[in-house]
Amino acid sequence: MSGNPFRKMPEVPDPEELIDVAFRRAERAAEGTRKSFYGTRTPPEVRARSIEIARVNTACQLVQDRLWEIVRKTPNLDELHPFYRELADALAGIDRLKSSLADVHTVAKIARLIREEYTRKIKRARDPRTAAELRRQAFGRLASTIRRKVGDALRFLRKVQPKLVDLPAIDTEMFTVTLAGFPNVGKTTLMTVLTGSRPEIAPYPFTTKGIQVGYMERPYPVQMLDTPGLLERPEEERNPVERQAIAALKHVTDAVLFLIDPTGTCGYPVEEQLELLDRVRKEFDVPVYVVLTKADLRDLWEEPDLEGEPVYKVSATERTGLKELRELLNDLARGHYSGRDRGHDEGRDEER
Ligand SMILES: Nc1nc2c(ncn2[C@@H]2O[C@H](COP(=O)(O)OP(=O)(O)OP(=O)(O)O)[C@@H](O)[C@H]2O)c(=O)[nH]1
């Protein structure tokens, strides 16, 4: 699945606002019905019945529609991709979200029952007073059901909806590479040269800088992610929600590019960068590839001892070493897509 599954979740009304809007709409409907009788000789009880039915119908229908829309446009929480499930859980709590949506659904159904029951009763009212009394009863029940049965749920959903709508749009199917490394080692610059455009910055819960997203299209689609400020600190210094934000990231990460700036111009000594590399290796159970950046700053360059493991040396400014890195990403992506779906791989080959 692709994109934020919560993006269509509608704004949630406060319970008092919902009641208010429903009753005001009912007044307008009553006015319209009253006008339709101008100049006719309709008997007063027939008029009264029509007007009160218009009121009850309109108010209940509005409540039913608004509540039903919330349920319908919120994704099925049992079918969320683990990336979004983790983030939604961190932001709102999956259990609380579920029970709130269940309350909303229940009250939508009750609104329908009130409408059906009172429409039937008002149709049988013998005089305008009885019709008005029945409508008052219906309104009383509607308002108290909203306050008692869905008030908390609406207030809660109203609070979390903007955060859920704002979750980043990540393609959870695409082969995904996460960039890691200390600030200023050149992650953004490298992503820009590899993808051909500045990464887009999408909000990411619990980070001030958001998540940076970029795409390589050819020959295989590759999604690149960078979460500035999230992976740099040791595990024990993270708060629970930051841990969940990282857990979410792991659900979409197929490989990590770990960037080391061996020139020290980023402000972090190489030893510290190697320690972070170790931690990232332990944290992610996907392959981690080391990229040494700023290869053009030859005078400052001090090659770290990586015990013979393959490294990619690049200069984003002089555009050297990029071919090898692109080849690596293409190979990984090809493996990813062919392992998952051979037909897809063949299709890709034909396209080229
Ligand atoms: N000489 C040289 N400078 C580079 C190279 N790549 C990046 N830089 C510079 O290094 C600095 C940091 O680069 P960024 O790409 O912003 O680093 P970053 O890792 O994304 O930093 P954060 O966004 O803070 O995480 C900038 O001044 C870049 O111009 C390179 O290949 N050569």
Side-chain angles (χ1 to χ4, degrees):
M1 192 180 27
S2 170
N4 173 11
F6 291 95
R7 66 187 177 280
K8 290 189 178 149
M9 192 176 172
E11 205 181 302
V12 177
D14 174 82
E16 294 307 319
E17 178 197 330
L18 180 62
I19 295 169
D20 239 43
V21 174
F23 291 173
R24 259 188 285 131
R25 227 19 111 66
E27 265 337 286
R28 249 195 279 153
E31 199 49 43
T33 312
R34 193 175 291 126
K35 277 189 188 146
S36 71
F37 289 119
Y38 283 174
T40 69
R41 291 173 177 224
T42 320
E45 70 282 2
V46 176
R47 252 180 230 224
R49 286 200 290 261
S50 295
I51 290 168
E52 301 305 0
I53 286 174
R55 280 193 169 114
V56 170
N57 256 338
T58 306
C60 292
Q61 190 71 53
L62 181 133
V63 170
Q64 198 185 322
D65 290 348
R66 286 292 298 271
L67 297 183
W68 184 234
E69 191 197 14
I70 298 169
V71 179
R72 207 165 31 88
K73 293 193 174 166
T74 305
N76 183 339
L77 300 172
D78 290 324
E79 287 172 9
L80 286 178
H81 184 278
F83 173 77
Y84 285 107
R85 189 182 166 83
E86 198 85 54
L87 292 179
D89 196 35
L91 281 174
I94 290 287
D95 291 344
R96 177 121 194 242
L97 267 177
K98 264 192 194 170
S99 66
S100 302
L101 289 166
D103 290 348
V104 170
H105 195 185
T106 304
V107 172
K109 283 192 279 191
I110 296 177
R112 196 191 69 208
L113 294 178
I114 295 176
R115 175 165 62 81
E116 287 170 354
E117 179 186 336
Y118 282 89
T119 310
R120 233 184 301 118
K121 284 184 174 162
I122 294 171
K123 269 187 193 150
R124 292 199 300 263
R126 286 170 193 272
D127 52 76
R129 253 175 69 197
T130 316
E133 178 49 35
L134 285 166
R135 181 258 305 160
R136 270 192 292 275
Q137 262 180 37
F139 276 15
R141 274 181 61 185
L142 185 65
S144 82
T145 306
I146 291 172
R147 288 190 183 111
R148 277 187 305 110
K149 286 198 192 311
V150 82
D152 285 348
L154 289 179
R155 277 185 291 270
F156 167 71
L157 291 171
R158 184 175 169 75
K159 206 172 66 196
V160 296
Q161 179 267 354
K163 299 183 202 167
L164 293 168
V165 168
D166 224 16
L167 284 175
I170 295 293
D171 192 320
T172 50
E173 295 286 300
M174 202 182 283
F175 174 71
T176 299
V177 176
T178 293
L179 270 53
F182 275 113
N184 287 317
V185 295
K187 298 190 292 289
T188 308
T189 314
L190 182 67
M191 214 202 277
T192 305
V193 297
L194 285 176
T195 62
S197 58
R198 299 257 336 148
E200 274 193 30
I201 301 177
Y204 195 60
F206 328 112
T207 62
T208 47
K209 293 185 182 162
I211 196 167
Q212 300 194 335
V213 191
Y215 295 95
M216 274 168 63
E217 309 287 346
R218 288 174 175 278
Y220 298 96
V222 175
Q223 181 168 242
M224 302 188 97
L225 304 178
D226 176 22
T227 51
L230 194 60
L231 293 170
E232 283 93 289
R233 274 169 310 124
E235 165 91 39
E236 58 277 11
E237 283 177 25
R238 293 179 193 140
N239 64 37
V241 277
E242 281 172 338
R243 281 190 202 139
Q244 241 171 327
I246 292 174
L249 193 62
K250 287 188 204 162
H251 288 304
V252 286
T253 300
D254 298 301
V256 173
L257 287 187
F258 189 90
L259 274 60
I260 293 178
D261 169 2
T263 71
T265 55
C266 64
Y268 299 88
V270 171
E271 303 81 71
E272 238 179 273
Q273 299 186 59
L274 292 175
E275 283 167 24
L276 179 59
L277 168 62
D278 267 351
R279 288 205 300 268
V280 168
R281 277 229 159 91
K282 282 187 193 121
E283 269 206 277
F284 281 79
D285 50 7
V286 296
V288 176
Y289 299 91
V290 177
V291 179
L292 303 179
T293 59
K294 307 185 187 175
D296 53 292
L297 300 178
R298 288 168 198 90
D299 297 345
L300 299 168
W301 179 279
E302 245 180 79
E303 188 141 343
D305 180 12
L306 284 151
E307 292 162 1
E309 84 166 274
V311 293
Y312 294 82
K313 299 176 195 178
V314 302
S315 161
T317 46
E318 288 188 350
R319 313 222 160 196
T320 56
L322 298 173
K323 189 165 161 271
E324 291 77 4
L325 197 52
R326 279 207 182 91
E327 274 169 9
L328 168 73
L329 295 176
N330 289 337
D331 284 348
L332 294 172
R334 186 193 307 118
H336 174 85
Y337 293 118
S338 65
R340 196 182 62 177
D341 171 4
R342 299 222 159 260
H344 181 89
D345 190 38
E346 280 156 22
R348 286 277 152 201
D349 280 342
E350 274 163 29
E351 260 170 47
R352 271 186 289 169

